[in-house]
Amino acid sequence: MATTSDGIRGIGHSVKRVEDARFIRGKGNYVDDLQLPGMLHLVMLRSPHAHARIRSIDTAAASALPGVVAIVTGEALAAHNLAWMPTLSGDTQAVLATDKVRFQGQEVAAVVAEDPYVAQDAAEMIEVDYELLPAVVDPRSALADDAPLIRDEKEGQADNRCYHWEAGDAEATRTAFEQADVVVSLSTHYPRSHPAPLETCGCVADVNPATGRATIHMTSQAPHAHRTLFAIVAGLPEQNIQIISPDIGGGFGNKVPIYPGYVCATAASLLIGRPVKWVETRTENLISTGFARDYHMDGELALKRDGTMLGMRVNMASDQGAFFADAQPTQFKAGLFHICTGSYDMPAAHVVADGAYTNKAPGGVAYRCSFRVTEASYLIERLVQNAALELEMDPAELRRKNFIPPEAFPYHSVTGFVYDSGEYQRALDLALEKVGYTEFRREQAEARSQGRLLGIGIASFTEVVGAGPMRQYDIAGLKMFDSAELRVHPTGKAILKLGVKSQGQGHETTFAQIVAEELGIPPEDIAVREGDTDNTPYGLGTYASRSTPVAGAATAVIARKLREKARTIAAHLLETSEDDLEWETGRFSVKGAPDRGVTIQDIAFAAYTNHPEGVEAGLEGVHYYDPPNMTYPFGTYVVVVEVDADTGEWKVLRMVAVDDCGVRINPMIVEGQIHGGLTEGYAMAAMQQIAFDEDGNCLGSTFMDYLVPTAWETPRFELHQTVTPSPHHPIGAKGVGESATVGSPAAYVNAVIDAIAHLGVRNIDMPVTSGKVWEAMQAAKAGS
Ligand code: CDP
């Protein structure tokens, strides 16, 4: 649906990613590639215990190792008031433990040495005397009266409650449930998972002792917000801090929190006066940095006998780990989980959420989803399936009956969202048509009579992305706008600078296409710059699919402002009035005389050489965009599986995905995003979790235990689309980056349940391993 030519390649063109030219040649520029003269290396000593008091730390032997420059402990940091730091959710977090360790993998001491291997050897020579304390590894036990207190250092903290939060209307929901013919329920756990980006976290901190300038090269999804927090934590004047996020090898929410390693490396560089590099190992990344999910959810759905939904009730306990450190918008303690009414016209709902501290690593990041929407979508789609089974209704029909109809938009949900647009039935119908639903149901019945277990699972999801309107959304007080600065140089080439930061999403390609669309300058003439706080306008960063809805909008708006200035210059060059001019991609011409025109390149040159009197020279500007609303991408995923009746093993036979993210800027990049998300959804459903034993030992600390699917296991995806533009977005685009992860896990699990539902199975928690399926089938057979 592109409107520009193949020369201009604006919105709707599958332009190949310009960044791939360096990535596929191994010429990317990552933090660990950086070598500075005199650079030292920092290695963290981490706690082997989940909960223990520190009696003493002996660093004498380690300090004596040749090559060791310094060993930093919590006590040393405390002397500079740096032992604790504020988190992005308004809590505090230990930089290095002083009193207790509160999760396995917590940072206890930092060794700085000439060589990373010497630093590692020295870390192993540090003797820490621990007094073991009982560990708490799930939120419900953490909230029990007799639970050991984890955050005993926090004034006024008498239990392990991190927050209590409610949304919706309790009274209206109670009435709805009283009027129900049928109530279905589901208790489920969305397991802890880890974003596991290819590149782990790290930084090179370079504080110049002469000038006091701190240049911090850092794996950051939000460099500007991090600069401000660094200024607050370290007391450095903000103009002296430059954060540079070079190429980033995947973030997925993992590179949003501030980690002790960044702070220790910066403090060490400040104190020693030499650059200090800290780069995590894979295991450190998996056990200590921002995890995701870990929501224990009890949901109930009230319905009339004919399938009409009346209300929804949710009790949720969130395992936040030892510190509430993820970046949730300040007003929404449980993230945007209250979107759990999904795509349905739900008359009443009440959500109660309790966050608990446990002896696990902190996190709960927006991992390939917008602030906890994945958990919400999973819950409602599993409940809908259970309702269909209970009512003996077709699950597609039950969805159709309850979808918010297109004419109801903008739709005000009972938990406080205003959905901008949606055509849910269209997406569902397309997915069912593509998968051949009616035919499949016949095949399924026939197969069952022959002892074969086929199942089909549907998930219709609604995401809420693009945080967000500043009146409602902020992180640590910083309002969630974003920015774009555009300069068109005299030769008609442009540079676009953004407040967001790509971690592999292809911003250098897609954002140039937005400018191409608006100004008619081809993408290869536009350089896109991100991730250097000295050289880009302030922004909140890239996560929760916010880049396109917010910074993409900022880009379109600033390009349009420059076009208006270009009109003034064109009128001057053509000696006519502005009203007499017509714009056609890349060129102004005189109405009725199309031959009399000037190109954007002519205008750019004139902006510096021959601009009208009274008009400022140059063709540049910056725009800070405050979105009027979030955007609401949606879709339907349908999965077909076959379950082996003897072993419980299940295989995906078809995976049909219909996504609607409004106008697609670069269809090929969007498909890539969807492939990534669908793979992740499959991983969650089939094989992936970070588990803990009862002592708080992390059981998912390597890729031998934490399974990342390869092309071998991953199903083949069949992608389709509908296009429902966002009515309030300047180019009608909705964010898409994460939708596939949000929507797909429920589709896989629903498919497995569908295959064995006739045995009475209603729930198997993720990951749905063959062992769990087999056990569920045995239990069902024994019970019947
Ligand atoms: O914030 P993040 O970049 O992770 O997510 P996003 O805004 O959903 O965008 C992911 C990638 O898909 C970016 O390169 C976008 O420009 C692209 N995209 C697109 O081409 N069209 C859309 N309607 C949405 C995203």
Side-chain angles (χ1 to χ4, degrees):
M1 271 178 309
T3 55
T4 51
S5 66
D6 287 349
I8 298 302
R9 279 164 292 132
I11 291 173
H13 287 266
S14 284
V15 177
K16 282 193 179 163
R17 294 177 10 140
V18 291
E19 36 281 86
D20 288 349
R22 60 179 190 277
F23 293 157
I24 61 173
R25 289 181 172 89
K27 297 286 182 199
N29 171 35
Y30 298 91
V31 165
D32 204 14
D33 292 328
L34 193 69
Q35 303 291 343
L36 295 182
M39 188 172 78
L40 299 170
H41 297 266
L42 184 146
V43 164
M44 281 290 180
L45 174 71
R46 296 177 182 276
S47 167
H49 307 297
H51 200 192
R53 198 160 293 288
I54 296 177
R55 288 207 195 100
S56 63
I57 302 178
D58 184 352
T59 59
S63 298
L65 192 71
V68 171
V69 176
I71 296 185
V72 188
T73 59
E75 215 171 288
L77 286 183
H80 298 274
N81 205 18
L82 280 177
W84 290 82
M85 63 179 177
T87 71
L88 292 168
S89 281
D91 193 5
T92 46
Q93 175 174 0
V95 178
L96 293 176
T98 45
D99 51 343
K100 283 204 303 189
V101 287
R102 293 171 171 84
F103 66 91
Q104 187 186 54
Q106 186 178 339
E107 299 79 0
V108 175
V111 180
V112 184
E114 300 284 350
D115 171 291
Y117 304 100
V118 171
Q120 185 61 49
D121 288 347
E124 284 163 23
M125 290 164 73
I126 298 174
E127 305 239 349
V128 186
D129 185 9
Y130 291 105
E131 174 193 334
L132 293 193
L133 299 169
V136 192
V137 292
D138 81 89
R140 296 226 158 97
S141 338
L143 293 173
D145 288 344
D146 57 349
L149 184 61
I150 297 169
R151 298 297 303 274
D152 51 347
E153 93 294 350
K154 253 188 124 172
E155 229 174 78
Q157 183 80 37
D159 55 22
N160 292 321
R161 190 176 302 280
C162 174
Y163 61 78
H164 174 85
W165 188 80
E166 295 190 21
D169 185 332
E171 191 47 38
T173 307
R174 200 176 54 75
T175 312
F177 273 76
E178 279 167 11
Q179 288 163 358
D181 297 324
V182 175
V183 172
V184 290
S185 60
L186 177 75
S187 285
T188 186
H189 176 220
Y190 202 126
R192 174 173 285 229
S193 61
H194 197 282
L198 264 183
E199 179 203 24
T200 59
C201 299
C203 71
V204 176
D206 182 14
V207 186
N208 184 319
T211 62
R213 268 190 72 75
T215 309
I216 306 164
H217 305 263
M218 167 172 163
T219 49
S220 169
Q221 294 181 229
H224 290 276
H226 284 169
R227 186 189 67 198
T228 301
L229 277 148
F230 261 73
I232 293 167
V233 173
L236 289 168
E238 202 168 350
Q239 80 279 13
N240 277 352
I241 306 173
Q242 180 182 13
I243 294 199
I244 300 174
S245 291
D247 286 329
I248 294 192
F252 312 113
N254 186 239
K255 291 167 181 166
V256 176
I258 294 195
Y259 297 118
Y262 302 141
V263 179
C264 288
T266 307
S269 177
L270 182 73
L271 296 174
I272 301 167
R274 288 168 65 179
V276 176
K277 179 187 273 188
W278 164 71
V279 175
E280 286 172 340
T281 62
R282 174 62 55 198
T283 292
E284 288 183 289
N285 182 256
L286 282 173
I287 66 171
S288 73
T289 62
F291 71 88
R293 328 290 186 231
D294 220 345
Y295 265 17
H296 295 253
M297 305 178 284
D298 294 331
E300 286 177 293
L301 201 55
L303 305 107
K304 283 206 262 183
R305 171 74 41 209
D306 70 358
T308 308
M309 292 178 191
L310 297 175
M312 184 180 187
R313 197 149 49 199
V314 182
N315 262 290
M316 190 274 286
S318 165
D319 187 332
Q320 289 296 148
F323 308 105
F324 188 22
D326 49 329
Q328 301 299 333
T330 307
Q331 292 183 42
F332 306 103
K333 297 294 180 199
L336 306 181
F337 178 73
H338 56 301
I339 188 108
C340 58
T341 55
S343 315
Y344 307 104
D345 188 7
M346 193 77 72
H350 187 225
V351 179
V352 179
D354 288 293
Y357 292 119
T358 61
N359 292 116
K360 289 153 98 172
V365 298
Y367 169 24
R368 275 187 181 271
C369 93
S370 183
F371 311 113
R372 307 297 203 159
V373 176
T374 303
E375 293 90 323
S377 178
Y378 182 72
L379 180 66
I380 181 72
E381 286 310 292
R382 297 289 324 286
L383 272 169
V384 170
Q385 163 133 340
N386 278 4
L389 291 169
E390 180 68 28
L391 293 165
E392 294 180 354
M393 248 179 110
D394 178 275
E397 203 40 53
L398 180 60
R399 286 178 169 87
R400 275 195 200 100
K401 193 174 179 64
N402 289 284
F403 278 150
I404 301 163
E407 63 277 10
F409 291 91
Y411 174 83
H412 292 251
S413 86
V414 283
T415 54
F417 295 97
V418 184
Y419 292 25
D420 63 356
S421 58
E423 287 220 37
Y424 304 141
Q425 184 166 330
R426 194 149 71 101
L428 173 73
D429 288 348
L430 182 60
L432 295 182
E433 179 204 315
K434 294 292 177 190
V435 85
Y437 188 66
T438 322
E439 174 61 15
F440 172 82
R441 285 292 184 203
R442 263 199 302 276
E443 267 177 49
Q444 183 185 35
E446 213 173 278
R448 196 168 287 164
S449 66
Q450 298 158 5
R452 278 177 65 213
L453 300 174
L454 295 184
I456 193 161
I458 303 173
S460 292
F461 65 93
T462 294
E463 250 228 280
V464 46
V465 303
M470 297 199 310
R471 64 183 185 282
Q472 261 183 316
Y473 294 91
D474 71 87
I475 300 272
L478 298 167
K479 302 280 189 192
M480 297 189 79
F481 55 82
D482 233 290
S483 59
E485 181 192 309
L486 181 59
R487 292 184 188 168
V488 186
H489 301 319
T491 55
K493 317 286 178 186
I495 182 159
L496 174 71
K497 300 177 175 192
L498 301 165
V500 290
K501 171 65 198 155
S502 179
Q503 312 119 44
Q505 294 92 332
H507 289 180
E508 287 170 49
T509 309
T510 49
F511 282 79
Q513 287 182 259
I514 299 176
V515 177
E517 177 80 19
E518 299 295 335
L519 289 182
I521 300 174
E524 63 269 23
D525 287 353
I526 303 160
V528 177
R529 296 280 178 267
E530 297 181 326
D532 175 345
T533 55
D534 269 10
N535 293 304
T536 52
Y538 203 97
L540 270 281
T542 290
Y543 38 87
S545 293
R546 63 185 301 277
S547 299
T548 302
V550 194
T555 302
V557 172
I558 191 60
R560 285 174 194 179
K561 283 190 190 167
L562 296 200
R563 196 167 69 204
E564 282 318 293
K565 181 166 181 184
R567 178 188 292 276
T568 308
I569 299 171
H572 164 73
L573 295 176
L574 294 166
E575 295 175 343
T576 184
S577 86
E578 289 179 33
D579 296 342
D580 272 346
L581 292 178
E582 247 168 3
W583 171 257
E584 190 197 333
T585 312
R587 187 170 181 270
F588 277 110
S589 60
V590 177
K591 282 181 191 161
D595 291 349
R596 278 192 64 210
V598 279
T599 64
I600 188 73
Q601 288 79 9
D602 299 331
I603 298 168
F605 196 68
Y608 299 87
T609 58
N610 174 24
H611 58 283
E613 220 168 288
V615 173
E616 260 182 78
L619 194 55
E620 67 176 67
V622 60
H623 185 76
Y624 284 75
Y625 185 78
D626 175 16
N629 190 3
M630 308 282 272
T631 68
Y632 293 76
F634 61 89
T636 291
Y637 297 144
V638 183
V639 169
V640 179
V641 298
E642 175 154 11
V643 176
D644 186 314
D646 296 321
T647 63
E649 194 186 351
W650 56 280
K651 286 204 176 81
V652 177
L653 305 182
R654 301 274 304 275
M655 196 306 162
V656 173
V658 173
D659 274 272
D660 192 320
C661 60
V663 173
R664 294 183 174 198
I665 301 161
N666 184 321
M668 185 169 59
I669 285 187
V670 168
E671 290 198 0
Q673 295 282 305
I674 293 170
H675 275 181
L678 292 177
T679 307
E680 175 48 31
Y682 172 67
M684 287 306 308
M687 62 182 77
Q688 202 166 76
Q689 70 171 332
I690 301 271
F692 289 80
D693 71 11
E694 58 189 20
D695 296 324
N697 293 308
C698 178
L699 306 178
S701 61
T702 72
F703 280 163
M704 294 295 283
D705 311 297
Y706 189 65
L707 304 178
V708 177
T710 66
W712 180 255
E713 300 89 6
T714 304
R716 202 174 79 80
F717 307 126
E718 301 166 47
L719 304 192
H720 303 280
Q721 61 167 312
T722 58
V723 179
T724 312
S726 172
H728 63 79
H729 188 272
I731 52 178
K734 302 176 177 192
V736 71
E738 347 274 8
S739 297
T741 321
V742 169
S744 58
Y748 292 105
V749 180
N750 281 345
V752 176
I753 302 274
D754 184 67
I756 54 176
H758 61 289
L759 303 174
V761 179
R762 293 291 177 270
N763 184 30
I764 301 175
D765 274 346
M766 292 192 290
V768 179
T769 57
S770 50
K772 285 190 200 168
V773 177
W774 188 83
E775 274 171 24
M777 288 196 291
Q778 298 312 307
K781 282 179 196 157
S784 60

